[in-house]
Amino acid sequence: MEINIYNDYKQMSNKAANFIINFLQSGQEMLLCFAAGDTPIKTYQYLKEAIDKNNNINTDQLKFVSLDEWIGLNEKDKGSCENYLNKYLFKPLEIKAQNIHFFDACANNLKEECLQSDRYISANGPIDLLVLGIGLNGHIGFNEPGTVKDFSHIVKLDSITKSVSKKYFSGKRGINRGITLGLKQIMGAKNIILLASGKKKAEIIYKALVGQITKEIPASILQEHENCYVFLDKKAASGLKTI
Ligand code: F6R
């Protein structure tokens, strides 16, 4: 695991976008998986700006698989993962719909949705580059503390995730469950970027990066990934001073 600390959110996002651009320069076909949420928004904006200036990157070579979704929400719901990613990533980069595999979190048969996602990764994977954020409870994707599974699955969201979810949605949504890739699929990614910014993430970043590897802090397993690159701003890294 490589930990990079930058002055602020903008600088962190810029460096993360540069990392992704360098990665995409190879021009090879790739499977990518990018988190939704607030933290990566600026990274995706810088990525769009850099791709516009760089003729070497052919986005038609890229396939995407979704990391997670709130059960009961879809693209039409402002704040859903699909809505976020379309808005900040896929529409700006003009990624064709046939190159994106989303979870349909409104499907009648959610188990089948999980299987379809697993099959998509088996057919097109492993994931070449995975961009993650981290929840205040240490979740990655929706792998909640203590509920760790290997493959795509449905999960009961914990109270911290439910409470934090209100920032994405206007009005009450009554969200209780999520659908997510599993930790084996996450750890099977060839390269992982973990992004965190702000003082509120300092404590969980300390626990995840320096503490014991435990199912109670799902992100702590990333300590075992050889190609995990952590991008933090100073505030998120403030708990690491003690190491
Ligand atoms: C979203 C996702 C979540 C978020 C995490 C941090 O697709 O996978 O694990 O990355 O909850 O969210 P923000 O960035 O909003 O703090």
Side-chain angles (χ1 to χ4, degrees):
M1 176 182 266
E2 179 188 295
I3 302 177
N4 303 284
I5 301 169
Y6 300 101
N7 283 334
D8 54 25
Y9 175 62
K10 270 176 99 172
Q11 194 186 29
M12 176 200 89
S13 305
N14 193 265
K15 295 289 181 183
N18 285 343
F19 182 100
I20 298 171
I21 285 288
N22 285 337
F23 194 82
L24 300 183
Q25 301 269 17
S26 74
Q28 284 163 11
E29 286 183 13
M30 288 187 199
L31 180 62
L32 307 176
C33 178
F34 286 10
D38 288 336
T39 312
I41 289 177
K42 246 213 162 353
T43 300
Y44 299 158
Q45 285 170 348
Y46 284 132
L47 190 61
K48 155 79 180 151
E49 284 170 27
I51 287 179
D52 282 350
K53 287 187 205 139
N54 189 325
N55 297 327
N56 295 332
I57 294 172
N58 176 6
T59 52
D60 289 342
Q61 302 272 70
L62 308 176
K63 286 198 169 85
F64 292 83
V65 63
S66 72
L67 175 61
D68 52 7
E69 187 56 276
W70 310 93
I71 298 281
L73 302 193
N74 63 23
E75 148 65 20
K76 292 188 193 82
D77 296 287
K78 201 166 164 278
S80 69
C81 297
E82 186 171 344
N83 184 282
Y84 250 68
L85 288 170
N86 279 334
K87 179 171 173 191
Y88 293 107
L89 192 68
F90 299 136
K91 285 201 178 126
L93 296 187
E94 297 173 29
I95 304 296
K96 295 190 180 95
Q98 75 244 31
N99 289 338
I100 311 169
H101 181 90
F102 284 116
F103 282 119
D104 176 358
C106 294
N108 287 331
N109 189 343
L110 290 169
K111 280 199 182 141
E112 179 55 29
E113 274 308 301
C114 292
L115 290 174
Q116 278 189 25
S117 174
D118 293 348
R119 280 186 218 119
Y120 188 83
I121 294 178
S122 298
N124 298 286
I127 295 167
D128 292 288
L129 178 64
L130 170 61
V131 176
L132 294 173
I134 181 169
L136 290 178
N137 58 2
H139 75 201
I140 43 179
F142 282 145
N143 289 276
E144 298 286 59
T147 68
V148 167
K149 296 220 170 81
D150 284 346
F151 295 99
S152 302
H153 59 284
I154 314 294
V155 63
K156 225 175 132 214
L157 298 171
D158 87 2
S159 55
I160 296 180
T161 303
K162 283 196 269 189
S163 146
V164 171
S165 76
K166 292 178 191 137
K167 72 174 174 162
Y168 306 118
F169 311 110
S170 50
K172 243 183 150 193
R173 304 308 307 249
I175 292 164
N176 291 306
R177 293 185 302 157
I179 184 167
T180 182
L181 299 188
L183 278 196
K184 194 166 184 173
Q185 291 164 316
I186 288 179
M187 290 300 280
K190 291 188 196 160
N191 297 278
I192 300 179
I193 292 178
L194 176 69
L195 300 169
S197 96
K199 184 87 187 133
K200 61 181 184 307
K201 295 282 172 78
E203 189 182 338
I204 195 63
I205 279 294
Y206 175 77
K207 287 183 182 160
L209 304 191
V210 185
Q212 222 188 332
I213 300 174
T214 161
K215 286 179 182 166
E216 295 312 313
I217 314 270
S220 63
I221 197 174
L222 298 173
Q223 292 178 35
E224 291 182 343
H225 197 290
E226 278 186 11
N227 301 315
C228 178
Y229 305 90
V230 183
F231 289 75
L232 305 172
D233 65 8
K234 270 190 184 159
K235 287 181 180 163
S238 55
L240 301 177
K241 274 195 295 241
T242 46
I243 49 174

